Amino acid sequence: MSAILTSIFELFKVGPGPSSSHTIGPMKAAFDFLIRINALDDAQVLTASAIEVFLFGSLSATGKGHGTDRAVIAGLLGWTPEGCDPVAFAALLADENERYSVAVHDRCIPIAAAHIHFVKGQHDFPFSNTMLLRLMGNDSIIFEQEYYSVGGGFIQRKGEEPNCALSIEPPYPYGTMKELKAQMSAYSLGLDEVILANEMVITGLGRKQIYRRIDDIFDFMHRAVRRGLKSEGILPGPIRLERKAPGLYQTARALRGNPDSFLVFLNAYSLAASEENAAGRIVVTAPTSGASGVIPGVSYLLKKHYRYDKQQLRSGLLAAAAVGFLVKHNASISGAEMGCMGEVGTAAAMGAAMLAHCAGHPIEVVEAAAEIAIEHHLGMTCDPIGGYVQIPCIERNAMGAVKAYNAYLLASAGSSSKQKISLDNVIRVMRATGLDMSRKYKETSEAGLALSSTEC
């Protein structure tokens, strides 16, 4: 099996909500297309007159609610997810007749809502979330690129293998948890040490640089939590869903000393970050935007209530990343491929691993915690009402955080040697379940809770 070559900072990406597959991925694809058309010869773009964008799969089915059209415009304007102003982003296409100018060499190519086509129905592309971008001139295609948004803001371009530019093999290669544990055993290393050593080779960054960037990731996550705890009112979109996090946080504070209070705090923290995602604010994919409330909620709890220091949290995030890598490598973190078990299910497993590792448990307990968390998300559908990452997505993040905590408790309370199902096995089951699941339940809003929208 090929070695995992994903960087921590590819898994944990900063950008605007509400969806990494529908917002961050398409923005990155459109930005890449902008770079490529500007690399063409002058003669090739001489007749360029328009850019046409075709969206397939759930990019078409729920792209409007997820802001995919805005994301495409933003990328073509040269915006990037990490540098994007969420207020300016939300204002794009407020008027569907507004035209924008894409700079190609010394030409300005117009782009508007009419140039973005939501193509309904089945397709034959290798990934559900597919984009075609075309530079047009004289009714003919000058240049075309095919992109796939494969979950968590990761994109692939047709004909280009992921990590194709990476030629250096990590010092401790692994593709499964079994192989990862073998590396740890052979070299007497901790889980976080293996992930950190590989990260240094994959990115070329030093230990201090990596720690600084991890601290930045936590800063973005926890700022989202704090903003969400203070932000009241109605979330964007036709559902008119009212934020719950501020009220729940006040309830938790009133319950201080009550045994239930820590759970109420955990729910409030996870809801806060997830509501910020639904509002299109800046969040961190963990591993996706749709699941961006679980790890922030868990880590904020550890910071505020357990008083874990920076190094403990860094180490915990490395453990969480290891689980995220394994799911992405051997199944998928895309809701369009795996349903919500690929998003919140993976986030819960990552959170459970983080909790177990931060508490000082061995790799066997960390693995068991992650396995239990995934096991009890198997078959979970991705069926957002109206295509908005609100119902059931926001509460599902809070539930995922609580499941992460309970998975950690179950794994650490018993003997991990008695665990009958390995993490590798449950990830294989996860992939098989996702492949068997009807596409209606995978981010298309064609079934499940999405059909209850008339009641909302």
Side-chain angles (χ1 to χ4, degrees):
M1 180 173 288
S2 60
I4 290 173
L5 302 176
T6 308
S7 164
I8 299 163
F9 308 110
E10 292 177 300
L11 193 68
F12 298 103
K13 293 184 289 294
V14 177
S19 169
S20 43
S21 294
H22 292 67
T23 310
I24 294 177
M27 191 185 298
K28 289 169 62 178
F31 182 78
D32 181 81
F33 185 75
L34 175 68
I35 292 172
R36 292 181 185 279
I37 58 178
N38 271 288
L40 299 173
D41 293 337
D42 285 338
Q44 289 178 278
V45 300
L46 190 61
T47 61
S49 58
I51 294 172
E52 300 288 342
V53 180
F54 300 86
L55 304 173
F56 299 87
S58 69
L59 292 181
S60 170
T62 61
K64 280 281 186 182
H66 287 76
T68 304
D69 45 0
R70 295 198 309 272
V72 170
I73 296 288
L76 291 172
L77 293 178
W79 300 6
T80 59
E82 60 276 11
C84 171
D85 177 349
V87 176
F89 176 70
L92 291 174
L93 294 178
D95 177 0
E96 289 208 347
N97 295 316
E98 187 168 358
R99 295 164 70 87
Y100 304 88
S101 293
V102 178
V104 182
H105 291 221
D106 58 352
R107 303 172 61 81
C108 289
I109 310 298
I111 184 77
H115 296 106
I116 301 174
H117 310 282
F118 295 84
V119 184
K120 304 299 181 183
Q122 298 279 8
H123 62 74
D124 296 323
F125 297 110
F127 290 93
S128 173
N129 291 337
T130 294
M131 300 172 60
L132 284 179
L133 286 90
R134 291 172 177 166
L135 180 65
M136 306 294 296
N138 294 334
D139 296 322
S140 63
I141 300 171
I142 297 173
F143 184 76
E144 177 182 272
Q145 289 288 280
E146 185 175 310
Y147 295 93
Y148 316 116
S149 183
V150 296
F154 288 87
I155 59 167
Q156 292 179 24
R157 189 168 59 87
K158 182 181 180 181
E160 184 177 71
E161 290 296 322
N163 302 107
C164 63
L166 196 64
S167 59
I168 302 173
E169 184 171 304
Y172 307 108
Y174 68 93
T176 64
M177 177 54 85
K178 181 179 180 180
E179 292 171 351
L180 176 54
K181 289 193 295 184
Q183 294 284 14
M184 291 171 59
S185 177
Y187 295 96
S188 300
L189 293 171
L191 174 58
D192 56 328
E193 294 173 303
V194 171
I195 303 304
L196 179 62
N198 284 357
E199 184 71 19
M200 291 169 69
V201 171
I202 289 169
T203 62
L205 299 174
R207 181 185 297 262
K208 288 185 177 179
Q209 291 172 297
I210 291 170
Y211 284 158
R212 193 176 303 118
R213 290 187 65 177
I214 288 176
D215 291 345
D216 289 342
I217 290 297
F218 277 125
D219 188 46
F220 278 109
M221 285 183 176
H222 296 166
R223 271 193 275 171
V225 172
R226 290 192 294 271
R227 284 196 313 270
L229 292 176
K230 295 177 182 177
S231 300
E232 297 182 346
I234 305 297
L235 291 167
I239 299 174
R240 298 194 57 76
L241 184 67
E242 189 168 355
R243 289 178 183 252
K244 294 181 180 178
L248 197 60
Y249 180 60
Q250 293 306 320
T251 299
R253 295 184 67 184
L255 286 172
R256 281 191 187 277
N258 185 301
D260 293 338
S261 63
F262 91 96
L263 264 184
V264 186
F265 275 116
L266 178 57
N267 276 285
Y269 299 152
S270 297
L271 283 175
S274 193
E275 286 173 353
E276 282 295 282
N277 176 66
R281 304 283 181 83
I282 297 297
V283 294
V284 179
T285 62
T288 67
S289 296
S292 60
V294 178
I295 298 292
V298 168
S299 60
Y300 201 76
L301 183 82
L302 294 180
K303 179 182 177 181
K304 289 292 183 181
H305 298 259
Y306 289 69
R307 303 295 180 186
Y308 282 3
D309 60 29
K310 279 188 176 183
Q311 190 53 44
Q312 288 173 298
L313 290 176
R314 291 165 182 161
S315 180
L317 195 73
L318 292 168
V323 173
F325 292 159
L326 289 168
V327 176
K328 182 183 182 301
H329 192 68
N330 297 298
S332 173
I333 58 173
S334 169
E337 292 188 274
M338 295 289 111
C340 202
M341 67 176 166
E343 297 198 48
V344 171
T346 303
M350 292 166 64
M354 182 180 199
L355 285 159
H357 187 78
C358 283
H361 290 288
I363 183 61
E364 291 77 15
V365 174
V366 174
E367 177 186 7
E371 185 280 321
I372 291 168
I374 289 180
E375 182 179 332
H376 298 290
H377 281 90
L378 289 174
M380 181 173 279
T381 57
C382 181
D383 49 355
I385 290 178
Y388 286 82
V389 190
Q390 297 181 13
I391 302 174
C393 320
I394 295 171
E395 286 184 354
R396 192 165 281 173
N397 273 260
M399 292 297 294
V402 172
K403 280 188 178 182
Y405 200 95
N406 205 36
Y408 149 66
L409 292 178
L410 288 170
S412 58
S415 173
S416 54
S417 63
K418 296 179 180 179
Q419 194 74 14
K420 297 295 185 181
I421 303 172
S422 70
L423 181 60
D424 290 331
N425 282 341
V426 84
I427 291 174
R428 280 193 287 270
V429 172
M430 179 184 186
R431 176 168 177 76
T433 304
L435 292 174
D436 287 341
M437 190 184 294
S438 168
R439 66 176 293 275
K440 294 189 301 181
Y441 294 98
K442 294 191 285 188
E443 220 170 39
T444 60
S445 290
E446 294 177 353
L449 287 171
L451 296 186
S452 68
S453 58
T454 54
E455 301 171 14
C456 295

